[in-house]
Amino acid sequence: MIRGLYTAAAGMVTQQRRHDTATQNIANMNTTGYKQVDSVSHAFPDVLISAMSGGTTKQVGRLNTGVFAEQSISQYLQGDLIESGKPYDFALSTDLLVQDPATGENIVFDGSGKYVNADGEVIYRPQAFFTVQDNEGNNLYTRNGSFTVNAAGEVLSSGGFKVLDAAGNPLVLTEPQDNLKVDGQGNLLDPATGLPSGTKLGISVITKPQELVRDGNGVFHADDADAAEIRYADAGDNLQVRQGYLEGSNVDATQVTVDLNAAYRAYEANQKVIQFYDTSLQKTVNEVGRV
């Protein structure tokens, strides 16, 4: 009976975390560059139940003792592009291609940006991010291209981080700021000639985005850059920089609402189970024990 209490309590904690995740997604439906988070739940290890009779052991079956919210996974699907008309707003439109090592053909990813090949290997769609740098010199990655320029000409992200160029250096504008023009590959154009000036936005391609860690405020970092396979974008990458646009949130409002209600109902069901066990224990102590 006590095991049932623990199982129901574990279910309540898991559903609370699912509910919190869905609430976070709903709260960021209008946040620029926000990527939806999905909560992944797993069961506790199964317990094998056996019965011994006459010196022999008979397997009765397996019992699961609860569930827990193991992790939260970010979905890096492309969000809608929203025109702002501001010269320091940028959005990335990407469709990075990957070939299956076994067949040599381009991989068709599912709706979550994942592909499982014939050998069971999971491959994630590579993603592109603007590269920014914090005060400690750590590289961070964001899809929020709402930038500003300070008095020194430094380009800053909405969180106050320094935006990097393709050489990994902080991007500093020397030309008149009102004339800033950027082409589809992220090259800053010379206002006099309209040709690339030699400076380019630092756009990082992350081959294994599942290695990224969410920091909040729309930025991510990689604990191991080599494991994430991070590099700067080149001309062969199928991506485009859109000046005067911002990428909206990729939250699926309908699905998140369903998840929110499902978590609430499951929490309520586990709560009823605990109430039932509490009543049963009360009867055991007050009535059965009296006999």
Side-chain angles (χ1 to χ4, degrees):
M1 184 176 293
I2 301 299
R3 182 186 294 125
L5 276 173
Y6 285 127
T7 301
M12 290 180 67
V13 172
T14 298
Q15 299 309 322
Q16 178 66 53
R17 292 179 179 175
R18 285 185 60 199
H19 188 277
D20 291 345
T21 299
T23 302
Q24 174 185 329
N25 288 328
I26 291 174
N28 287 279
M29 286 177 58
N30 296 318
T31 301
T32 302
Y34 178 80
K35 298 304 176 185
Q36 178 174 319
V37 181
D38 292 337
S39 179
V40 178
S41 301
H42 285 276
F44 290 154
D46 290 343
V47 177
L48 179 63
I49 301 177
S50 302
M52 297 185 63
S53 178
T56 61
T57 302
K58 179 181 178 181
Q59 293 188 3
V60 178
R62 308 189 73 87
L63 175 67
N64 187 277
T65 56
V67 66
F68 66 104
E70 182 180 40
Q71 58 182 331
S72 296
I73 298 179
S74 298
Q75 299 292 342
Y76 298 105
L77 302 179
Q78 178 81 48
D80 295 333
L81 301 189
I82 304 169
E83 185 174 7
S84 68
K86 298 179 180 179
Y88 295 107
D89 284 349
F90 299 93
L92 293 175
S93 177
T94 65
D95 186 16
L96 301 175
L97 303 178
V98 179
Q99 289 185 340
D100 189 334
T103 64
E105 298 179 354
N106 288 334
I107 290 175
V108 178
F109 294 93
D110 62 16
S112 65
K114 185 174 62 177
Y115 170 78
V116 182
N117 63 18
D119 298 328
E121 179 186 4
V122 179
I123 301 174
Y124 293 87
R125 182 192 294 275
Q127 299 293 334
F129 295 83
F130 296 109
T131 313
V132 299
Q133 189 177 77
D134 63 15
N135 294 330
E136 286 73 39
N138 301 312
N139 283 4
L140 305 173
Y141 309 94
T142 182
R143 293 287 290 230
N144 185 350
S146 179
F147 300 150
T148 58
V149 181
N150 62 16
E154 295 177 320
V155 182
L156 305 176
S157 72
S158 60
F161 301 115
K162 296 179 180 179
V163 177
L164 301 185
D165 61 20
N169 301 314
L171 182 60
V172 180
L173 301 180
T174 57
E175 299 294 336
Q177 299 174 6
D178 293 338
N179 297 329
L180 178 67
K181 298 293 181 183
V182 177
D183 66 12
Q185 296 301 312
N187 296 297
L188 275 66
L189 303 181
D190 188 321
T193 64
L195 299 176
S197 63
T199 303
K200 185 177 181 179
L201 287 174
I203 302 171
S204 293
V205 173
I206 303 180
T207 304
K208 297 181 178 179
Q210 72 274 15
E211 297 291 336
L212 292 179
V213 180
R214 183 184 295 264
D215 284 349
N217 297 320
V219 297
F220 301 82
H221 78 271
D223 288 331
D224 188 341
D226 293 333
E229 299 183 15
I230 301 174
R231 61 176 176 81
Y232 281 109
D234 54 40
D237 291 313
N238 187 19
L239 62 84
Q240 185 178 25
V241 179
R242 302 288 299 274
Q243 186 177 15
Y245 287 80
L246 290 173
E247 181 180 357
S249 169
N250 69 349
V251 172
D252 185 337
T254 302
Q255 184 60 51
V256 170
T257 303
V258 171
D259 293 342
L260 185 71
N261 290 327
Y264 172 76
R265 294 302 181 189
Y267 183 93
E268 192 176 49
N270 281 286
Q271 186 181 41
K272 294 294 185 182
V273 171
I274 288 182
Q275 291 175 347
F276 168 78
Y277 276 116
D278 181 62
T279 301
S280 299
L281 287 172
Q282 184 180 17
K283 288 182 176 294
T284 300
V285 172
N286 295 332
E287 298 181 14
V288 177
R290 187 183 307 162
V291 177

